[in-house]
Amino acid sequence: MRLVVQKFGGTSLSSAEKIHRAARRAIRAKLDGYRVVLVVSAMGHATNDLLALSNEICTEPPKRELDMLLTTGEQVSIALTAMAIHAAGHEAISLTAAQLGLYTDSVHLRARIKNINRNRLDQELSSNRIVIIAGFQGIDMSGEITTLGRGASDTTAAALAAVLHAHQCEIYTDVDGVYTTDPRIVPQAKKIDEISYDVMLEMAAAGASVMHSRAIVFGKKFGVPIHVRSSMTDGKGTMIMNETSSMEEVVVEGVTLKEDLAVISLHGVPHQAGLAARIFAELGHHHILVDDIVQNIYDDGKYANISFSINTSDASTAHNLCQQLARDMIIENVTLEQGVSKVSAVGVGMRTHTGTASTMFEALAQAQINIKNISTSEIVISCIVNSTDGVRALRSIHNAFGLDNHDSPSDQINPAR
Ligand code: ADP
Ligand code: ASP
Ligand code: MG
């Protein structure tokens, strides 16, 4: 019997009516002959509200207690969704990660899935029930509650789809698919019908918040097609799948903006083997995720400047660590620049087409935007700019790559800013 995993995000569950709608969709899949596993996020802005509440209690809440608090949001959703399915006359059961046996490492707030126990799932599915799993949460080997990072219910869904060999993982959200950029910032963005795992992964990692990046890793590794679609309509959304040859014809498929970044620069690092390893090992040891790293060598190869970007939330911890390292390793000085954003252009066509970088830089030059840092990989070009220029940079680059849809009724989605 074929199995489908359906994931509903917070905005798709923000009221009783929307929870009933999600329940109806799951029931429809069941009546169509599928085994159905639902993964739900916290209702509406519940996770943000819980975070705000914790900040009213103390400025630096212990991460363990934050996980304890934040997971309650998803627990509310699973119970209400199960009730909605019961109310419609069908069988459903809600399960937390602990009840299911979704095991993670012990890194609070950004835990990674280690193992998912199928026993309970198989048992409930064989009893013909729709199984509703709390997204975003896990337990570690000693039973501590963890969370997988903001937006990670997508990852719960894709991981379950992988373990259960699902026919498809459906991500129901408040847009009708993946667009060439965030349609709330650029209303001219175009919907993409099909996108490769690789491009989606890079877009998600570079700020396309419509999907959590680790979900794409699971999808690719286990060959699960992911369908991103609207929870409000029945239209076809975007299929995230293996690359096809036609995808190479488009040079840039998407443009992204990642905000709330900071750049840390270590100036005058003695250019010796092993120093960079030591710096980044120390940051990794403190679970700090480092974004793009840029190194320049100067003074006849004696010294290097090393810069990297990180999320603002990690900035002060990372800055303190680097200052300690600077003392130990005789590094000249360490600077921290807050208030920067990253704009990126992503596309598999970059592998075979030339001129992408110059188009991007030209677009920024015409908009009179200074580039602070540039980094490139096989299918991504990124520029760090001042946060105040971020949205303008995104719009200019999107337009420069011919991605603007001039025919689209731009009032379909209200731009947020
Ligand atoms: P959910 O609560 O369903 O998980 P999210 O807020 O996490 O929803 O993701 C949906 C949002 O992602 C959209 O409202 C949109 O503003 C944003 N987004 C960012 N980049 C893109 C993109 N390239 N395509 C579509 N949506 C995007
Ligand atoms: N509720 C969690 C969050 O807001 C997880 C999710 O929505 O995917 O980050
Ligand atoms: Mg999301």
Side-chain angles (χ1 to χ4, degrees):
M1 199 174 182
R2 296 212 293 182
L3 184 145
V4 67
V5 175
Q6 299 185 330
K7 177 257 168 179
F8 289 86
T11 38
S12 304
L13 299 167
S14 57
S15 64
E17 177 40 40
K18 287 188 177 174
I19 290 176
H20 280 299
R21 184 186 283 273
R24 284 198 294 275
R25 207 178 275 274
I27 292 167
R28 212 187 316 151
K30 176 106 196 303
L31 295 175
D32 284 345
Y34 286 91
R35 289 185 160 188
V36 184
V37 174
L38 281 192
V39 173
V40 292
S41 299
M43 289 176 71
H45 302 293
T47 310
N48 283 346
D49 295 346
L50 289 168
L51 270 175
L53 192 56
S54 71
N55 283 325
E56 281 179 35
I57 301 287
C58 68
T59 45
E60 276 197 34
K63 291 180 177 164
R64 177 192 185 275
E65 303 310 332
L66 267 179
D67 275 348
M68 184 66 83
L69 178 73
L70 297 184
T71 48
T72 61
E74 272 68 16
Q75 195 165 335
V76 169
S77 297
I78 53 172
L80 293 176
T81 310
M83 289 176 200
I85 293 174
H86 280 286
H90 292 263
E91 288 263 326
I93 183 159
S94 61
L95 296 174
T96 62
Q99 289 174 307
L100 165 69
L102 187 151
Y103 294 100
T104 68
D105 62 23
S106 305
V107 184
H108 287 293
L109 296 177
R110 51 179 70 151
R112 286 183 174 249
I113 299 175
K114 293 276 181 210
N115 182 34
I116 299 178
N117 186 346
R118 279 189 61 147
N119 294 347
R120 183 75 191 266
L121 272 170
D122 286 337
Q123 193 187 317
E124 301 298 349
L125 288 167
S126 320
S127 310
N128 245 347
R129 292 192 170 122
I130 295 173
V131 185
I132 306 158
I133 306 291
F136 172 61
Q137 54 179 253
I139 49 161
D140 75 1
M141 288 305 173
S142 52
E144 291 294 309
I145 291 178
T146 56
T147 59
L148 310 174
R150 294 304 308 270
S153 294
D154 298 336
T155 296
T156 308
L160 283 168
V163 163
L164 295 167
H165 308 292
H167 157 73
Q168 199 173 98
C169 178
E170 298 180 338
I171 304 289
Y172 288 95
T173 184
D174 61 352
V175 276
D176 57 1
V178 178
Y179 279 67
T180 48
T181 193
D182 188 339
R184 293 187 195 283
I185 306 179
V186 183
Q188 298 84 359
K190 289 186 247 188
K191 198 180 101 194
I192 303 171
D193 292 332
E194 292 177 348
I195 192 166
S196 67
Y197 293 115
D198 289 339
V199 170
M200 191 64 236
L201 176 58
E202 295 292 353
M203 281 179 65
S209 55
V210 63
M211 280 300 298
H212 193 250
S213 60
R214 294 210 312 274
I216 315 298
V217 176
F218 278 110
K220 179 175 179 183
K221 191 165 169 196
F222 297 94
V224 182
I226 299 175
H227 188 182
V228 182
R229 54 195 305 202
S230 165
S231 58
M232 300 304 285
T233 64
D234 285 333
K236 192 173 174 306
T238 301
M239 284 306 304
I240 308 174
M241 53 196 273
N242 280 320
E243 195 175 314
T244 62
S245 54
S246 66
M247 289 175 184
E248 285 217 3
E249 283 160 25
V250 188
V251 185
V252 169
E253 287 159 80
V255 183
T256 59
L257 175 66
K258 197 169 187 180
E259 297 184 295
D260 296 324
L261 293 179
V263 172
I264 293 190
S265 304
L266 297 100
H267 305 275
V269 181
H271 190 217
Q272 294 162 10
L275 289 196
R278 208 174 136 196
I279 296 165
F280 292 103
E282 186 65 15
L283 293 165
H285 181 68
H286 287 83
H287 308 293
I288 291 171
L289 293 177
V290 172
D291 219 352
D292 304 296
I293 303 171
V294 179
Q295 172 174 283
N296 308 306
I297 311 291
Y298 64 96
D299 206 1
D300 280 340
K302 288 198 201 100
Y303 294 99
N305 286 336
I306 301 178
S307 297
F308 58 89
S309 47
I310 45 166
N311 286 330
T312 311
S313 53
D314 286 332
S316 71
T317 315
H319 189 218
N320 289 340
L321 285 172
C322 288
Q323 282 179 319
Q324 274 168 30
L325 285 167
R327 283 191 286 274
D328 294 354
M329 293 162 60
I330 334 236
I331 291 171
E332 202 178 301
N333 71 6
V334 180
T335 57
L336 166 66
E337 184 177 9
Q338 303 260 26
V340 296
S341 295
K342 183 169 86 166
V343 269
S344 308
V346 187
V348 278
M350 277 185 211
R351 290 188 196 129
T352 44
H353 294 71
T354 55
T356 321
S358 60
T359 305
M360 180 150 168
F361 303 153
E362 184 57 36
L364 293 175
Q366 290 211 346
Q368 307 247 304
I369 294 171
N370 271 333
I371 303 172
K372 290 171 172 293
N373 254 345
I374 299 168
S375 59
T376 60
S377 72
E378 200 187 18
I379 62 167
V380 189
I381 303 176
S382 301
C383 295
I384 298 277
V385 298
N386 267 330
S387 286
T388 45
D389 292 329
V391 169
R392 243 169 13 94
L394 182 77
R395 291 190 173 132
S396 319
I397 295 167
H398 190 265
N399 187 26
F401 284 113
L403 297 174
D404 279 4
N405 182 359
H406 296 290
D407 311 326
S408 83
S410 57
D411 55 354
Q412 272 182 351
I413 293 168
N414 294 323
R417 47 191 143 175

